[in-house]
Amino acid sequence: QVQLVESGGGLVQPGGSLRLSCTASGRFFSINVMGWYRQAPGKQRELVATITMSGNTNYADSVKGRFTISRDNAKSTVYLQMNSLGPEDTAVYYCNAGIRARDNTGYSGWGQGTQVTVSS
């Protein structure tokens, strides 16, 4: 019943910035935790940052101080502001959400991913 759509990825030079967005649409009761994950070629998917409905955040050590996660509950949207980007940040970034459906079932939803490439 829910779709997650990311936007904002692309090619950026080292030291540059990007802002990713992910919007949930469809029919659901509520969304608790939303977050961003990433997967580089040949590596496992890793958690980047999460944020609860009330605004509590967690960050991977590798991005702390450079990335900021935020959300707009009225728009069912989560953002990831990425600053001081380096080649090590190159990956496909995936949006994730913990969803409560109207029938009270719960599941984890994933977006299709958006490519972020940091290169000169």
Side-chain angles (χ1 to χ4, degrees):
Q1 298 291 331
V2 175
Q3 287 189 320
L4 300 173
V5 180
E6 303 103 331
S7 63
L11 175 65
V12 65
Q13 294 187 342
S17 298
L18 285 173
R19 183 175 176 86
L20 306 182
S21 300
C22 173
T23 298
S25 62
R27 298 185 181 275
F28 54 88
F29 184 79
S30 64
I31 299 176
N32 188 17
V33 179
M34 301 186 78
W36 292 94
Y37 294 71
R38 67 185 182 186
Q39 187 167 18
K43 296 184 178 180
Q44 296 289 106
R45 186 182 301 178
E46 65 175 350
L47 185 148
V48 177
T50 62
I51 183 168
T52 67
M53 184 178 295
S54 60
N56 293 321
T57 59
N58 287 297
Y59 296 92
D61 288 340
S62 60
V63 307
K64 195 172 299 181
R66 299 188 297 123
F67 292 8
T68 302
I69 189 171
S70 61
R71 65 189 287 173
D72 185 333
N73 291 332
K75 298 179 179 179
S76 298
T77 298
V78 62
Y79 306 94
L80 186 68
Q81 178 67 47
M82 305 184 294
N83 299 325
S84 301
L85 287 164
E88 68 275 13
D89 298 310
T90 295
V92 177
Y93 285 70
Y94 297 92
C95 175
N96 175 261
I99 300 167
R100 178 72 64 182
R102 290 186 174 184
D103 64 0
N104 206 39
T105 59
Y107 62 94
S108 179
W110 291 91
Q112 293 297 307
T114 184
Q115 177 71 48
V116 172
T117 302
V118 185
S119 176
S120 297

